[in-house]
Amino acid sequence: MIFSLLKIGIRIVTLAFTLGLLLSYASAWISPKSLWFFQLLGLAYPILFVGTLIFALLNFMLTKKYAFSLIVLLLGSFTHARYFGVSFPKNNEALISASNNELSIMSFNVRLFDAYQLIVPKIEDSKAEFTAFFEENPTDILCLQEYAENKSNNKLISPSEIKKIGGYTHHVTTLTLEARRMTMGQAIFSKYPIINSGLIGDSSRSIPSIYADIVKGEDTVRIYNFHLESIRFQKDEYSLFDTSISSDKDYSQRITGLLSKLKEAYPPRVQQTRQIISHAAETSYPTLLCGDLNDPPTSYTYSTIAKQFNDAFYAADFGMTRTYAGKVPAGRIDYIFHDDKWIPTTFNTHHEKTLSDHYAISSTLKIIK
């Protein structure tokens, strides 16, 4: 009797995980403007994937039935490869036709250079730590999100200091937000001339995207730096993931608040993504898009970009990684995308030290002639 009940329970749980996994695949294709809750299933994808594997195995051991779970797992092969970073064989013909004009680029959400000392464990001298990091990881192009300037705050690295550290000669910024005399936005630093730049997006929303046309040798390339709509979590939401954070609200109120903020953030990201893609379609230059998407590879926003651009992450070897270093288990939400005029040769996620609630990512790419 007990064994029979156990088998029934395992079958029910297996079915629940498998159906959840199947529905999570849809998060990449269903716009959150119509059915936003599918994005929640996309966020839960890694849990649903692992749960399906475990319970499908248990179900097979107890009942010898596995067909439905196996079919669902196979149907999601593309999603699995996208999420876990399966690296496919390099295109040798493309490598042969690639020029010697190589460009290295880094994208990093620096979270105001930790000016308010929010990183745990605490960084005693964040300016010195960021300086050392940039010196140890030089690139031709540096794209920063949540960049900040304040001449009276010696915890921030000034533009002239960043230029000196990286050997950059040009830079452009948004600096559209201001708080406590600190201007904030995004920045692109370059070792090569910037001949054109501009902003993209509705200035009434948080931070518009920025782009720059950069000349290197005989080539002009376009770089986009984006930071899509944040969820704006506060301590009430963070307390759901960290018991050391206190909250005056009960559990149900915090869950409701979290879901409400997620629901509000998804539609603006769709609009911001479409604006960037539409703008990029107007240029003939080899194009790179990088920044903080605030969404995982299973999301609708990622899928929207991936229809037009390639993810440089797949130049790396097989393996999961995460770019968000905060308390929420967000996984990989920072990206470097490229069009078909590029071929990436390297990709790195810099986990050496936690300086922000994000880890820096970098890639080296060659232009295909």
Side-chain angles (χ1 to χ4, degrees), residues 110-111 114 116-123 325 354-358:
V110 295
R111 202 188 191 189
D114 196 35
Y116 300 120
Q117 294 189 301
L118 299 175
I119 300 301
V120 179
K122 184 179 178 180
I123 303 173
T354 304
L355 301 178
S356 167
D357 57 350
H358 291 250

Side-chain angles (χ1 to χ4, degrees), residues 201-261:
D202 182 358
S203 60
S204 67
R205 295 212 67 89
S206 54
I207 306 174
S209 299
I210 187 172
Y211 73 92
D213 294 334
I214 298 172
V215 176
K216 183 184 179 186
E218 298 179 353
D219 296 301
T220 301
V221 302
R222 174 163 289 185
I223 309 295
Y224 288 87
N225 184 11
F226 57 79
H227 181 197
L228 300 194
E229 188 72 12
S230 294
I231 303 174
R232 306 176 192 277
F233 281 163
Q234 300 297 326
K235 68 174 185 177
D236 292 327
E237 291 77 41
Y238 283 125
S239 66
L240 293 168
F241 307 96
D242 188 343
T243 55
S244 67
I245 299 176
S246 61
S247 173
D248 297 330
K249 296 181 180 179
D250 60 37
Y251 190 77
S252 62
Q253 289 176 316
R254 285 178 284 163
I255 288 290
T256 301
L258 181 146
L259 293 176
S260 177
K261 289 187 175 182

Side-chain angles (χ1 to χ4, degrees), residues 263-294:
K263 181 180 179 180
E264 291 177 4
Y266 286 129
R269 288 186 205 150
V270 175
Q271 179 64 22
Q272 291 162 353
T273 300
R274 289 173 177 169
Q275 287 176 331
I276 295 169
I277 292 175
S278 176
H279 192 278
E282 298 175 359
T283 184
S284 60
Y285 297 146
T287 302
L288 299 176
L289 282 66
C290 63
D292 178 3
L293 199 63
N294 269 315

